[in-house]
Amino acid sequence: MSVVATKQEVVDKYLRLYKNNIDEINTYGADFLNNKRQEAFDEFKEKGFPHKKNERYKYTFLQPFFEYDYKSNFSPNTYQVNLDEIFKCDIPELDTYTVLTLNGNYYTRNNPAESLPKNVVVTSMQEASQKYPELLKKHFDKYAQKHEEGLVAFNTMFSQDGIFVHVPKNVVLDKPLQIINVALSERDLLINHRNLIVMDENSQANIVVCDHTLCFRRYLTNSVTEFYLGDNANLEYNKIQNENNESIQIGHTYVHQEQNSYSRFNTITLHGGLVRNNLNIRLLGENAESQAQGLFLTDRKQHVDNYTNIEHVKPHCQSTQLYKGILDDQATGAFNGKIHVYPDAQKTVAYQTNNNIQLTDDAKMHSKPTLEIYADDVKCSHGATSGQLDEKAMFYLRSRGIKYEEARFLLLYAFADEIISKISVEPLQMRIHELVDRRLRGELSRCHNCQITCD
Amino acid sequence: MLKIKELYVTINDQEILKGINLEVNPGELHAIMGPNGSGKSTLASVLAGREEVNVTSGSIEYNGEDLLEMDPEERAHKGVFLGFQYPVEIPGVSMVNFMKTAVNEQRKQRGMEELSASDFLKLMREKSEFVGLKNNLTNRAVNEGFSGGEKKRNEIFQMAMLDPALSILDETDSGLDIDALKAVANGVNKLKRKDNATVVITHYQRLLDYIIPDFVHVLYKGKIVKSSDKSLALELEEKGYDWLEKEVEV
Ligand SMILES: Nc1ncnc2c1ncn2[C@@H]1O[C@H](COP(=O)(O)OP(=O)(O)O)[C@@H](O)[C@H]1O
Ligand SMILES: [Mg+2]
């Protein structure tokens, strides 16, 4: 028999976990994280998990997922696996700088430094704490809105490592950087990791992040990633989520953009049990631009919730959001998107669109756009649609001899393609096309090598 | 080829067709005329297999088979083609992909081999030139951003690609300028053979200046109230549809 825990009990459980393990956490933790833990502990103690009445979490109540007893592992050295042997991304012609993380820790055999362009840094937060204290001092924990998000404090309490990237002024990363986050454990596991991406003035990069689970275990991942984009920096960030149906993925992304900077975030959720993506973008310099796109394909009892908060702080900035979802079976989804225009931000252009297709009557989609506009000379719009497949289009296709199944596929594929085509890394785009193709045809859509390797 | 007998049809429980009888034989060209709202598109929809349309009684025989038993795609495989009054825009589905899927599915059903990519593109080019559909349109998504005239030409283009046995063209002439109208009529005339049949639905007479029908039927309030040769079209032009009202009540 299960007893529903009260909010306080669940919080206490993690406060105890922290206290009982603090020495080990600090021993293997990055210094900059260690320095913030006590403060984070106090913050989390006060805030706890997002409340049921929290508008930002209206459609996803996370607390029950934390009631579950996960294993936590705070001494990374105990992992004795050779990831290179069991895991290799097999996308042909995908030529990238590749790094792996294993259960949130930077994988020790990574060695991208040899081939990276001069002065570009891709390393662990642990190493960055030692080698680049000036950069961390300037950027670390500066963008995450920890006072508004108990889960960011939670992340800071427990995170020991993550990825640090620095692209210096005027440097263009000639190939995409691929970060593969692997969850691999025989036991259900709680994973926290903390990442920082610093892109100086006039730099350019394309980052591909793949989230994978290699065993059919329940993993709860709670990650925080902070971005700094200096003047005229240009970033494309493609996040591909492909985890098992038991896994819980909570991601907090915070982006700080200076003037003339450009960011494009593509979030593709192919698989996952429960996924919550928070994307917070602050346009803090004139003429900064943000494009945020998301696509999810869900079935069975999966749940995907995309939350966005685009803040136009300065004038003459542009943002476009386009989020789409396809829901089958009893899947549920949410889009909770906010445009916030500050009083100073005249001449803002901000668009938001959310379109969903529900393939069954049981699938449920919640769409909640929020516009907070405090400037008067702006162009803002939002629109949301949710519904079945377009009957008229179905009939048109079938009347030309295209079979029902194929017509359905063509329409769903076209629906998804609007997002997928925004991935500029071509081999990756092709692979996502393939995966979506197979997914829509009712086949399993794991990336070839990213499959279950535990028995 | 097509035998419609005592066909009664409802949409949302409202009776739209009230006892239609019509026979179409190979080599024939029929025109169905009638004022707006008389049920012409409903008749076309029944023939193509639209689901919202309910047949409450009557029958439709197509080459000896029960047409009403077939799915829309099966009807297409067997040679039925509907030129839509309002062609549907399908963003994200390219014309090429759409037509390739349709042509090859039809060939498969007929036990023929799929066309090679190059043969298919040759066919596309040939048929789009035939109806004067600009090349850049076949590179776009289905009907997306097409003008009214381009959409109608696109219907004739698809007809040419699929080479149907029975074509039902629902107001393919409406909203066209004279050049586009001629192009559509020209397409219909050139595709006409001894072994196929065409039913053109229109409520204007001007199309019939370019297409000479063998039979003209007037559909009025869900019934075919008059059938005759092409002279009926001229009579309608002279007297207008108001004249019908009196005729029918008599
Ligand atoms: N989907 C529908 N729902 C309800 N009524 C419809 C629908 N489609 C057509 N009708 C009605 O059926 C009648 C015939 O329409 P239609 O077949 O389109 O006529 P026509 O093509 O001759 O102009 C009209 O009264 C129209 O309002
Ligand atoms: Mg009509």
Side-chain angles (χ1 to χ4, degrees):
Chain A
M1 231 190 287
S2 73
V3 181
V4 180
T6 65
K7 190 179 170 207
Q8 196 51 47
E9 276 172 42
V10 189
V11 170
D12 286 347
K13 182 173 93 171
Y14 289 99
L15 296 177
R16 269 197 314 278
L17 179 71
Y18 176 85
K19 281 185 181 150
N20 294 340
N21 292 282
I22 183 63
D23 289 343
E24 201 181 354
I25 293 172
N26 280 334
T27 305
Y28 299 104
D31 289 346
F32 272 80
L33 277 156
N34 293 346
N35 294 340
K36 298 278 182 182
R37 287 192 211 286
Q38 192 53 44
E39 191 190 325
F41 176 88
D42 295 336
E43 190 87 41
F44 176 70
K45 192 172 168 182
E46 189 199 313
K47 291 230 158 41
F49 295 104
H51 202 269
K52 232 177 183 164
K53 289 187 185 132
N54 185 334
E55 280 294 310
R56 290 182 294 134
Y57 283 89
K58 196 166 176 183
Y59 307 108
T60 306
F61 186 44
L62 289 169
Q63 183 197 300
F65 297 94
F66 285 90
E67 286 168 24
Y68 189 85
D69 283 320
Y70 304 89
K71 189 176 172 260
S72 296
N73 201 333
F74 298 115
S75 45
N77 292 339
T78 57
Y79 295 112
Q80 292 298 333
V81 289
N82 184 352
L83 266 187
D84 300 330
E85 273 171 22
I86 56 170
F87 181 87
K88 203 168 188 341
C89 180
D90 72 342
I91 302 179
E93 276 136 49
L94 182 59
D95 185 16
T96 60
Y97 302 108
T98 311
V99 290
L100 293 152
T101 72
L102 178 59
N103 301 335
N105 295 299
Y106 192 76
Y107 179 56
T108 46
R109 293 176 203 238
N110 285 328
N111 196 2
E114 297 179 338
S115 51
L116 281 166
K118 208 169 155 238
N119 299 327
V120 172
V121 177
V122 177
T123 187
S124 65
M125 287 294 277
Q126 293 187 350
E127 192 177 286
S129 290
Q130 305 299 323
K131 283 196 178 167
Y132 311 102
E134 291 306 314
L135 279 172
L136 268 75
K137 203 182 265 170
K138 189 168 166 209
H139 298 291
F140 175 74
D141 207 32
K142 292 290 188 290
Y143 314 120
Q145 286 149 17
K146 53 193 172 183
H147 304 302
E148 285 162 32
E149 183 67 78
L151 285 169
V152 169
F154 184 90
N155 172 278
T156 312
M157 279 163 70
F158 295 113
S159 276
Q160 293 171 292
D161 200 7
I163 301 265
F164 172 77
V165 176
H166 179 223
V167 188
K169 186 174 170 178
N170 296 334
V171 172
V172 174
L173 202 55
D174 56 333
K175 293 192 284 186
L177 167 66
Q178 189 181 16
I179 301 168
I180 303 173
N181 295 316
V182 173
L184 172 66
S185 157
E186 302 287 344
R187 308 255 313 264
D188 297 340
L189 196 67
L190 175 69
I191 300 168
N192 283 280
H193 58 96
R194 184 63 173 255
N195 313 290
L196 175 62
I197 319 274
V198 177
M199 294 190 54
D200 284 341
E201 190 180 336
N202 208 30
S203 66
Q204 191 180 327
N206 193 313
I207 299 177
V208 176
V209 179
C210 303
D211 291 336
H212 290 293
T213 48
L214 291 191
C215 299
F216 200 76
R217 283 283 161 201
R218 175 178 279 204
Y219 303 110
L220 190 157
T221 307
N222 177 53
S223 67
V224 174
T225 307
E226 294 178 280
F227 290 84
Y228 170 84
L229 272 62
D231 292 1
N232 212 36
N234 183 308
L235 168 73
E236 177 176 320
Y237 188 81
N238 295 295
K239 191 168 175 66
I240 316 299
Q241 301 178 308
N242 204 351
E243 299 202 323
N244 72 42
N245 282 342
E246 276 287 292
S247 68
I248 296 132
Q249 176 74 240
I250 308 163
H252 311 269
T253 304
Y254 293 94
V255 186
H256 171 110
Q257 287 191 229
E258 294 287 347
Q259 63 183 0
N260 296 313
S261 63
Y262 171 88
S263 72
R264 184 195 282 182
F265 280 78
N266 299 320
T267 309
I268 313 281
T269 312
L270 293 169
H271 250 287
L274 180 139
V275 177
R276 163 76 182 206
N277 295 311
N278 290 340
L279 178 61
N280 297 272
I281 292 178
R282 305 193 85 199
L283 302 171
L284 292 151
E286 294 198 11
N287 294 311
E289 183 178 348
S290 145
Q291 285 192 18
Q293 273 103 214
L295 170 71
F296 67 77
L297 283 82
T298 49
D299 59 11
R300 283 174 275 185
K301 290 199 182 313
Q302 297 175 338
H303 177 81
V304 176
D305 180 347
N306 282 309
Y307 168 86
T308 64
N309 180 19
I310 316 294
E311 296 189 58
H312 285 257
V313 182
K314 285 282 157 67
H316 295 283
C317 291
Q318 270 195 46
S319 68
T320 313
Q321 299 176 62
L322 176 61
Y323 278 79
K324 290 185 151 190
I326 298 175
L327 302 95
D328 205 348
D329 301 331
Q330 300 100 41
T332 51
F335 175 71
N336 199 331
K338 185 168 163 186
I339 298 171
H340 182 172
V341 181
Y342 284 62
D344 272 354
Q346 300 297 356
K347 305 285 179 194
T348 286
V349 178
Y351 301 118
Q352 182 192 80
T353 311
N354 177 231
N355 304 125
N356 307 287
I357 294 180
Q358 286 148 257
L359 294 171
T360 65
D361 290 339
D362 292 336
K364 287 222 159 39
M365 182 68 200
H366 304 279
S367 193
K368 180 172 170 282
T370 311
L371 267 61
E372 275 184 34
I373 298 171
Y374 301 106
D376 46 21
D377 187 9
V378 300
K379 249 191 231 159
C380 294
S381 75
H382 66 90
T385 60
S386 277
Q388 312 268 322
L389 269 181
D390 181 350
E391 284 296 328
K392 286 201 173 92
M394 274 299 279
F395 180 64
Y396 192 71
L397 295 171
R398 294 177 73 195
S399 78
R400 299 304 183 238
I402 298 171
K403 286 187 172 170
Y404 178 88
E405 287 302 324
E406 192 64 25
R408 178 179 184 269
F409 169 78
L410 280 177
L411 292 181
L412 290 175
Y413 193 84
F415 179 82
D417 184 59
E418 193 183 356
I419 305 287
I420 302 168
S421 60
K422 299 246 160 67
I423 300 172
S424 71
V425 184
E426 231 167 82
L428 180 68
Q429 191 193 104
M430 278 164 61
R431 171 56 61 92
I432 303 299
H433 268 136
E434 261 174 60
L435 293 174
V436 168
D437 184 315
R438 273 190 272 156
R439 183 77 205 266
L440 292 177
R441 290 182 193 279
E443 296 163 24
L444 207 64
S445 67
R446 287 190 181 285
C447 232
H448 297 185
N449 250 312
C450 299
Q451 55 213 330
I452 297 164
T453 55
C454 308
D455 1 75
Chain B
M1 178 182 258
L2 182 74
K3 284 188 187 126
I4 305 177
K5 282 188 197 147
E6 285 303 311
L7 186 74
Y8 284 80
V9 165
T10 61
I11 300 179
N12 296 334
D13 292 331
Q14 197 193 330
E15 191 158 79
I16 309 291
L17 298 183
K18 302 164 184 169
I20 300 280
N21 290 291
L22 181 69
E23 193 169 332
V24 178
N25 296 303
E28 291 177 355
L29 202 155
H30 292 244
I32 297 180
M33 306 181 70
N36 268 333
S38 56
K40 303 184 296 295
S41 293
T42 305
L43 179 59
S45 299
V46 185
L47 292 172
R50 183 165 221 134
E51 268 157 30
E52 302 89 75
V53 179
N54 284 312
V55 173
T56 48
S57 72
S59 67
I60 305 179
E61 206 183 285
Y62 175 68
N63 289 333
E65 290 185 277
D66 184 356
L67 188 73
L68 296 172
E69 280 295 299
M70 301 177 200
D71 284 338
E73 52 266 43
E74 196 182 343
R75 299 178 195 209
H77 300 151
K78 292 188 167 153
V80 177
F81 179 88
L82 170 63
F84 283 63
Q85 181 174 4
Y86 304 108
V88 184
E89 295 195 16
I90 312 183
V93 177
S94 71
M95 276 301 296
V96 173
N97 200 11
F98 167 52
M99 273 292 102
K100 198 195 267 169
T101 312
V103 167
N104 281 329
E105 188 59 43
Q106 187 191 56
R107 292 177 69 92
K108 210 165 93 190
Q109 294 301 322
R110 294 177 180 177
M112 296 156 80
E113 254 180 60
E114 288 193 2
L115 283 181
S116 70
S118 65
D119 283 349
F120 174 76
L121 288 176
K122 229 168 83 191
L123 184 71
M124 279 282 279
R125 217 175 304 124
E126 189 189 309
K127 300 300 181 191
S128 56
E129 270 166 30
F130 171 71
V131 295
L133 192 70
K134 288 188 222 105
N135 258 335
N136 63 338
L137 293 183
T138 53
N139 291 330
R140 294 232 294 260
V142 178
N143 290 320
E144 193 183 36
F146 286 31
S147 72
E150 286 164 347
K151 282 180 183 167
K152 298 297 168 94
R153 269 183 212 246
N154 191 16
E155 295 296 290
I156 302 297
F157 164 69
Q158 292 169 46
M159 176 180 161
M161 289 291 288
L162 294 166
D163 189 21
L166 174 66
S167 305
I168 303 120
L169 303 176
D170 190 1
E171 309 237 8
T172 305
D173 56 328
S174 60
L176 296 187
D177 62 38
I178 196 71
D179 285 343
L181 184 77
K182 277 183 184 166
V184 164
N186 187 34
V188 172
N189 288 330
K190 279 196 189 153
L191 290 168
K192 192 182 166 188
R193 288 196 309 256
K194 277 195 162 49
D195 60 345
N196 66 16
T198 310
V199 177
V200 295
I201 293 173
T202 179
H203 75 269
Y204 301 110
Q205 294 76 21
R206 61 176 194 152
L207 179 67
L208 304 180
D209 293 341
Y210 304 97
I211 294 176
I212 313 296
D214 301 302
F215 302 94
V216 176
H217 312 275
V218 178
L219 186 64
Y220 186 67
K221 292 187 174 167
K223 278 187 189 158
I224 291 183
V225 294
K226 249 181 186 302
S227 288
S228 179
D229 61 12
K230 65 176 198 275
S231 63
L232 180 57
L234 298 172
E235 201 174 347
L236 275 174
E237 180 162 58
E238 243 170 63
K239 300 180 179 170
Y241 287 116
D242 293 344
W243 153 74
L244 270 178
E245 196 130 11
K246 290 163 207 146
E247 277 282 291
V248 173
E249 276 162 0
V250 172

